[in-house]
PDB file of all heavy atoms in Angstrom:
ATOM      1  N   PHE A 266     150.512 -43.968 228.638  1.00 91.00           N
ATOM      2  CA  PHE A 266     151.787 -44.671 228.757  1.00 91.00           C
ATOM      3  C   PHE A 266     151.677 -46.183 228.896  1.00 91.00           C
ATOM      4  O   PHE A 266     152.708 -46.857 228.905  1.00 91.00           O
ATOM      5  CB  PHE A 266     152.562 -44.125 229.961  1.00 91.00           C
ATOM      6  CG  PHE A 266     152.827 -42.645 229.886  1.00 91.00           C
ATOM      7  CD1 PHE A 266     152.305 -41.783 230.840  1.00 91.00           C
ATOM      8  CD2 PHE A 266     153.575 -42.109 228.863  1.00 91.00           C
ATOM      9  CE1 PHE A 266     152.540 -40.421 230.778  1.00 91.00           C
ATOM     10  CE2 PHE A 266     153.811 -40.748 228.788  1.00 91.00           C
ATOM     11  CZ  PHE A 266     153.295 -39.899 229.745  1.00 91.00           C
ATOM     12  N   SER A 267     150.490 -46.746 229.024  1.00 93.00           N
ATOM     13  CA  SER A 267     150.392 -48.201 229.177  1.00 93.00           C
ATOM     14  C   SER A 267     150.773 -48.882 227.868  1.00 93.00           C
ATOM     15  O   SER A 267     150.769 -48.272 226.792  1.00 93.00           O
ATOM     16  CB  SER A 267     148.972 -48.605 229.588  1.00 93.00           C
ATOM     17  OG  SER A 267     148.070 -48.412 228.516  1.00 93.00           O
ATOM     18  N   THR A 268     151.108 -50.154 227.954  1.00 92.00           N
ATOM     19  CA  THR A 268     151.559 -50.914 226.788  1.00 92.00           C
ATOM     20  C   THR A 268     150.406 -51.482 225.975  1.00 92.00           C
ATOM     21  O   THR A 268     150.608 -52.381 225.161  1.00 92.00           O
ATOM     22  CB  THR A 268     152.490 -52.050 227.229  1.00 92.00           C
ATOM     23  OG1 THR A 268     151.830 -52.843 228.228  1.00 92.00           O
ATOM     24  CG2 THR A 268     153.788 -51.513 227.785  1.00 92.00           C
ATOM     25  N   ALA A 269     149.205 -50.970 226.148  1.00 95.00           N
ATOM     26  CA  ALA A 269     148.074 -51.415 225.336  1.00 95.00           C
ATOM     27  C   ALA A 269     148.241 -50.933 223.900  1.00 95.00           C
ATOM     28  O   ALA A 269     148.793 -49.859 223.643  1.00 95.00           O
ATOM     29  CB  ALA A 269     146.763 -50.869 225.923  1.00 95.00           C
ATOM     30  N   ASP A 270     147.768 -51.745 222.961  1.00 94.00           N
ATOM     31  CA  ASP A 270     147.814 -51.357 221.549  1.00 94.00           C
ATOM     32  C   ASP A 270     146.763 -50.301 221.235  1.00 94.00           C
ATOM     33  O   ASP A 270     147.001 -49.403 220.426  1.00 94.00           O
ATOM     34  CB  ASP A 270     147.579 -52.581 220.659  1.00 94.00           C
ATOM     35  CG  ASP A 270     148.619 -53.670 220.873  1.00 94.00           C
ATOM     36  OD1 ASP A 270     149.811 -53.329 220.910  1.00 94.00           O
ATOM     37  OD2 ASP A 270     148.244 -54.848 221.015  1.00 94.00           O
ATOM     38  N   ILE A 271     145.590 -50.439 221.849  1.00 95.00           N
ATOM     39  CA  ILE A 271     144.460 -49.542 221.615  1.00 95.00           C
ATOM     40  C   ILE A 271     143.960 -49.044 222.966  1.00 95.00           C
ATOM     41  O   ILE A 271     143.910 -49.807 223.937  1.00 95.00           O
ATOM     42  CB  ILE A 271     143.303 -50.255 220.871  1.00 95.00           C
ATOM     43  CG1 ILE A 271     143.805 -50.916 219.587  1.00 95.00           C
ATOM     44  CG2 ILE A 271     142.162 -49.286 220.580  1.00 95.00           C
ATOM     45  CD1 ILE A 271     144.237 -49.958 218.516  1.00 95.00           C
ATOM     46  N   VAL A 272     143.578 -47.773 223.030  1.00 94.00           N
ATOM     47  CA  VAL A 272     143.027 -47.202 224.260  1.00 94.00           C
ATOM     48  C   VAL A 272     141.625 -46.667 223.970  1.00 94.00           C
ATOM     49  O   VAL A 272     141.424 -45.929 222.998  1.00 94.00           O
ATOM     50  CB  VAL A 272     143.920 -46.066 224.795  1.00 94.00           C
ATOM     51  CG1 VAL A 272     143.252 -45.373 225.984  1.00 94.00           C
ATOM     52  CG2 VAL A 272     145.286 -46.603 225.197  1.00 94.00           C
ATOM     53  N   VAL A 273     140.671 -47.080 224.788  1.00 96.00           N
ATOM     54  CA  VAL A 273     139.314 -46.542 224.735  1.00 96.00           C
ATOM     55  C   VAL A 273     139.075 -45.810 226.050  1.00 96.00           C
ATOM     56  O   VAL A 273     139.050 -46.430 227.117  1.00 96.00           O
ATOM     57  CB  VAL A 273     138.264 -47.646 224.539  1.00 96.00           C
ATOM     58  CG1 VAL A 273     136.862 -47.050 224.482  1.00 96.00           C
ATOM     59  CG2 VAL A 273     138.546 -48.442 223.266  1.00 96.00           C
ATOM     60  N   TYR A 274     138.925 -44.499 225.978  1.00 93.00           N
ATOM     61  CA  TYR A 274     138.756 -43.674 227.184  1.00 93.00           C
ATOM     62  C   TYR A 274     137.314 -43.181 227.223  1.00 93.00           C
ATOM     63  O   TYR A 274     136.859 -42.475 226.322  1.00 93.00           O
ATOM     64  CB  TYR A 274     139.726 -42.488 227.156  1.00 93.00           C
ATOM     65  CG  TYR A 274     139.710 -41.657 228.425  1.00 93.00           C
ATOM     66  CD1 TYR A 274     140.616 -41.901 229.439  1.00 93.00           C
ATOM     67  CD2 TYR A 274     138.778 -40.636 228.603  1.00 93.00           C
ATOM     68  CE1 TYR A 274     140.601 -41.150 230.609  1.00 93.00           C
ATOM     69  CE2 TYR A 274     138.759 -39.887 229.761  1.00 93.00           C
ATOM     70  CZ  TYR A 274     139.677 -40.141 230.769  1.00 93.00           C
ATOM     71  OH  TYR A 274     139.648 -39.403 231.918  1.00 93.00           O
ATOM     72  N   VAL A 275     136.590 -43.574 228.276  1.00 93.00           N
ATOM     73  CA  VAL A 275     135.186 -43.199 228.427  1.00 93.00           C
ATOM     74  C   VAL A 275     135.073 -42.205 229.570  1.00 93.00           C
ATOM     75  O   VAL A 275     135.302 -42.556 230.729  1.00 93.00           O
ATOM     76  CB  VAL A 275     134.301 -44.432 228.710  1.00 93.00           C
ATOM     77  CG1 VAL A 275     132.841 -44.017 228.831  1.00 93.00           C
ATOM     78  CG2 VAL A 275     134.469 -45.473 227.614  1.00 93.00           C
ATOM     79  N   GLY A 276     134.734 -40.967 229.244  1.00 88.00           N
ATOM     80  CA  GLY A 276     134.448 -39.965 230.265  1.00 88.00           C
ATOM     81  C   GLY A 276     132.969 -40.005 230.584  1.00 88.00           C
ATOM     82  O   GLY A 276     132.152 -39.423 229.864  1.00 88.00           O
ATOM     83  N   CYS A 277     132.605 -40.740 231.616  1.00 88.00           N
ATOM     84  CA  CYS A 277     131.206 -41.031 231.915  1.00 88.00           C
ATOM     85  C   CYS A 277     130.719 -40.149 233.058  1.00 88.00           C
ATOM     86  O   CYS A 277     130.966 -40.424 234.233  1.00 88.00           O
ATOM     87  CB  CYS A 277     131.062 -42.509 232.276  1.00 88.00           C
ATOM     88  SG  CYS A 277     129.406 -42.988 232.777  1.00 88.00           S
ATOM     89  N   GLY A 278     130.027 -39.067 232.715  1.00 82.00           N
ATOM     90  CA  GLY A 278     129.422 -38.223 233.728  1.00 82.00           C
ATOM     91  C   GLY A 278     130.390 -37.331 234.459  1.00 82.00           C
ATOM     92  O   GLY A 278     130.046 -36.756 235.498  1.00 82.00           O
ATOM     93  N   GLU A 279     131.615 -37.169 233.947  1.00 78.00           N
ATOM     94  CA  GLU A 279     132.576 -36.308 234.616  1.00 78.00           C
ATOM     95  C   GLU A 279     132.332 -34.839 234.268  1.00 78.00           C
ATOM     96  O   GLU A 279     131.594 -34.505 233.345  1.00 78.00           O
ATOM     97  CB  GLU A 279     133.996 -36.710 234.233  1.00 78.00           C
ATOM     98  CG  GLU A 279     134.437 -38.009 234.888  1.00 78.00           C
ATOM     99  CD  GLU A 279     134.386 -37.937 236.402  1.00 78.00           C
ATOM    100  OE1 GLU A 279     135.130 -37.144 236.997  1.00 78.00           O
ATOM    101  OE2 GLU A 279     133.560 -38.658 237.000  1.00 78.00           O
ATOM    102  N   ARG A 280     132.983 -33.957 235.023  1.00 77.00           N
ATOM    103  CA  ARG A 280     132.793 -32.524 234.810  1.00 77.00           C
ATOM    104  C   ARG A 280     133.307 -32.110 233.436  1.00 77.00           C
ATOM    105  O   ARG A 280     134.290 -32.650 232.930  1.00 77.00           O
ATOM    106  CB  ARG A 280     133.519 -31.739 235.901  1.00 77.00           C
ATOM    107  CG  ARG A 280     132.995 -32.024 237.302  1.00 77.00           C
ATOM    108  CD  ARG A 280     133.929 -31.467 238.365  1.00 77.00           C
ATOM    109  NE  ARG A 280     133.462 -31.810 239.698  1.00 77.00           N
ATOM    110  CZ  ARG A 280     133.710 -32.982 240.283  1.00 77.00           C
ATOM    111  NH1 ARG A 280     134.403 -33.910 239.662  1.00 77.00           N
ATOM    112  NH2 ARG A 280     133.262 -33.220 241.504  1.00 77.00           N
ATOM    113  N   GLY A 281     132.662 -31.114 232.886  1.00 76.00           N
ATOM    114  CA  GLY A 281     133.019 -30.678 231.549  1.00 76.00           C
ATOM    115  C   GLY A 281     134.441 -30.180 231.432  1.00 76.00           C
ATOM    116  O   GLY A 281     135.123 -30.431 230.436  1.00 76.00           O
ATOM    117  N   ASN A 282     134.936 -29.480 232.493  1.00 76.00           N
ATOM    118  CA  ASN A 282     136.300 -28.939 232.391  1.00 76.00           C
ATOM    119  C   ASN A 282     137.343 -30.051 232.386  1.00 76.00           C
ATOM    120  O   ASN A 282     138.388 -29.934 231.745  1.00 76.00           O
ATOM    121  CB  ASN A 282     136.568 -27.946 233.538  1.00 76.00           C
ATOM    122  CG  ASN A 282     136.430 -28.591 234.912  1.00 76.00           C
ATOM    123  OD1 ASN A 282     135.784 -29.619 235.056  1.00 76.00           O
ATOM    124  ND2 ASN A 282     137.039 -27.994 235.907  1.00 76.00           N
ATOM    125  N   GLU A 283     137.075 -31.182 233.096  1.00 76.00           N
ATOM    126  CA  GLU A 283     138.023 -32.284 233.089  1.00 76.00           C
ATOM    127  C   GLU A 283     138.081 -32.939 231.711  1.00 76.00           C
ATOM    128  O   GLU A 283     139.154 -33.251 231.195  1.00 76.00           O
ATOM    129  CB  GLU A 283     137.638 -33.314 234.155  1.00 76.00           C
ATOM    130  CG  GLU A 283     137.782 -32.801 235.587  1.00 76.00           C
ATOM    131  CD  GLU A 283     137.460 -33.872 236.612  1.00 76.00           C
ATOM    132  OE1 GLU A 283     137.064 -34.986 236.185  1.00 76.00           O
ATOM    133  OE2 GLU A 283     137.599 -33.608 237.813  1.00 76.00           O
TER     134      GLU A 283
END
Side-chain angles (χ1 to χ4, degrees):
F266 302 118
S267 70
T268 54
D270 300 314
I271 307 292
V272 173
V273 180
Y274 185 94
V275 181
C277 176
E279 287 301 296
R280 298 168 183 83
N282 60 339
E283 293 183 357

